[in-house]
Amino acid sequence: ARGVNPCCVLLAESYWGREWELLQDGFDFATDKAMYDRLADVDPDGLKAHLAADQSFQERCARYLEGHDLPRAAEALVTAEQHCAAALIAYTSAGMKLFHDGQMQGRRAPIPLHTWVRDGNETRDAHTIHQYSRILAVVGRPEVKDGECRACETTASMDGDPSFANIMSQVCWDAEGRATLVIVNYSPDKATGHVVVPRDALVSDATSPVPCTRSFTGRPSAGPLSEAEGAQRVLLRDLMSNEWHERDSAVLAGLHGGAWFSLEPWQAIAYEMSLLPMPQPPPLREE
């Protein structure tokens, strides 16, 4: 095939844990049935272990929530909140993104393979359409499409609450310092815990929407999160709800156990991360 068309991309439909074997056989990508099963089974521990695999493998996985021989996502994932949480985990992970016809409209009726004709009487779900419009805006960001993607460590709160195990988190960034932090409580219960962002994640103030009302120093170039307490504040803008928060860069990088979050069942967050401008010290007064 590549002898006829060098740009040909070969995608393998994989089952029974054979993704790596198929990639070694020459396929460019393999469908990630392992991730699908863990999302369908609500298995956060299994998801974390799967996403801890080598980055070269992650980048060649094709993530999906529906297929021609699988239940519709709107049926398999039970609630709209779980559907949104699963979609944010799957489609912000490294690799190819696959969307099935009707998935983003919340369609529930399967499409018969022998006719491939959709039920014309089935209505579209407005809430699912709205949620996917937000998810696609996140997935389309340059750092999510083409940047680095790493899993973030999650640890227990100071009270030892074990619900932190249900929190999934990953960060995507690019060389320009654009960064997106994804945090999802993939469970039907409330969860609390700390999130630790890898220190080599690059963040800049390039996307900061905060106006400078005072005299600030020059714009910092993209750089890793500071390890020094109080060195820099990071603005977190939730792209799913447009809410705003601030965290110290050293805390995000692991100081005091990491940044603490309390999440409702199935809550899914995608934070745009940007550095807040550093104020200049006041000039010395001459006596």
Side-chain angles (χ1 to χ4, degrees):
R2 291 197 178 96
V4 176
N5 182 1
C7 297
C8 176
V9 175
L10 299 178
L11 170 63
E13 185 175 7
S14 175
Y15 294 90
W16 309 298
R18 299 185 64 189
E19 293 88 352
W20 181 246
E21 178 184 343
L22 291 164
L23 293 173
Q24 295 300 106
D25 286 341
F27 286 94
D28 298 292
F29 295 91
T31 55
D32 191 359
K33 184 64 162 56
M35 171 177 272
Y36 173 85
D37 289 341
R38 287 161 174 76
L39 288 169
D41 295 340
V42 190
D43 181 9
D45 288 336
L47 280 166
K48 290 177 183 180
H50 182 61
L51 290 172
D54 188 80
Q55 191 70 11
S56 62
F57 170 74
Q58 301 289 344
E59 292 171 353
R60 298 174 67 188
C61 288
R63 321 291 190 176
Y64 64 96
L65 296 181
E66 284 190 12
H68 63 85
D69 58 348
L70 295 170
R72 287 291 207 176
E75 291 284 347
L77 298 173
V78 184
T79 67
E81 292 74 19
Q82 184 186 358
H83 188 170
C84 177
L88 198 62
I89 293 170
Y91 297 128
T92 58
S93 298
M96 179 184 284
K97 283 72 171 166
L98 298 178
F99 298 89
H100 202 254
D101 181 50
Q103 174 184 333
M104 292 186 284
Q105 290 77 43
R107 297 196 183 269
R108 295 175 176 271
I111 302 176
L113 286 177
H114 61 284
T115 63
W116 203 246
V117 176
R118 185 192 301 130
D119 182 356
N121 296 319
E122 186 179 17
T123 59
R124 300 185 300 172
D125 182 70
H127 179 71
T128 301
I129 293 172
H130 175 69
Q131 289 292 74
Y132 266 106
S133 69
R134 292 180 177 271
I135 292 168
L136 290 178
V138 175
V139 174
R141 292 173 64 86
E143 67 272 24
V144 179
K145 286 175 57 181
D146 303 313
E148 296 281 337
C149 184
R150 302 276 182 83
C152 298
E153 182 185 3
T154 58
T155 59
S157 304
M158 294 182 66
D159 60 2
D161 187 341
S163 64
F164 79 92
N166 296 324
I167 299 176
M168 303 286 304
S169 183
Q170 52 198 10
V171 61
C172 305
W173 73 91
D174 63 15
E176 301 299 318
R178 290 179 289 250
T180 297
L181 174 63
V182 174
I183 305 173
V184 176
N185 173 17
Y186 201 64
S187 79
D189 303 304
K190 190 171 180 177
T192 63
H194 292 108
V195 172
V196 179
V197 179
R199 282 199 171 98
D200 53 354
L202 300 182
V203 184
S204 78
D205 72 342
T207 58
S208 177
V210 178
C212 297
T213 57
R214 293 179 288 165
S215 174
F216 289 95
T217 58
R219 297 173 69 85
S221 60
L225 293 174
S226 171
E227 299 181 26
E229 185 170 11
Q232 187 78 68
R233 298 288 288 177
V234 178
L235 184 70
L236 304 175
R237 180 170 73 95
D238 185 3
L239 300 168
M240 303 293 289
S241 67
N242 211 34
E243 294 182 355
W244 305 75
H245 304 278
E246 288 184 32
R247 293 290 190 275
D248 189 275
S249 62
V251 173
L252 283 166
L255 187 70
H256 306 312
W260 183 82
F261 292 93
S262 177
L263 304 172
E264 296 300 319
W266 306 118
Q267 186 174 355
I269 299 169
Y271 285 125
E272 175 190 72
M273 302 172 66
S274 55
L275 297 180
L276 287 170
M278 294 279 286
Q280 288 182 339
L284 296 175
R285 295 180 59 183
E286 295 184 2
E287 297 293 337

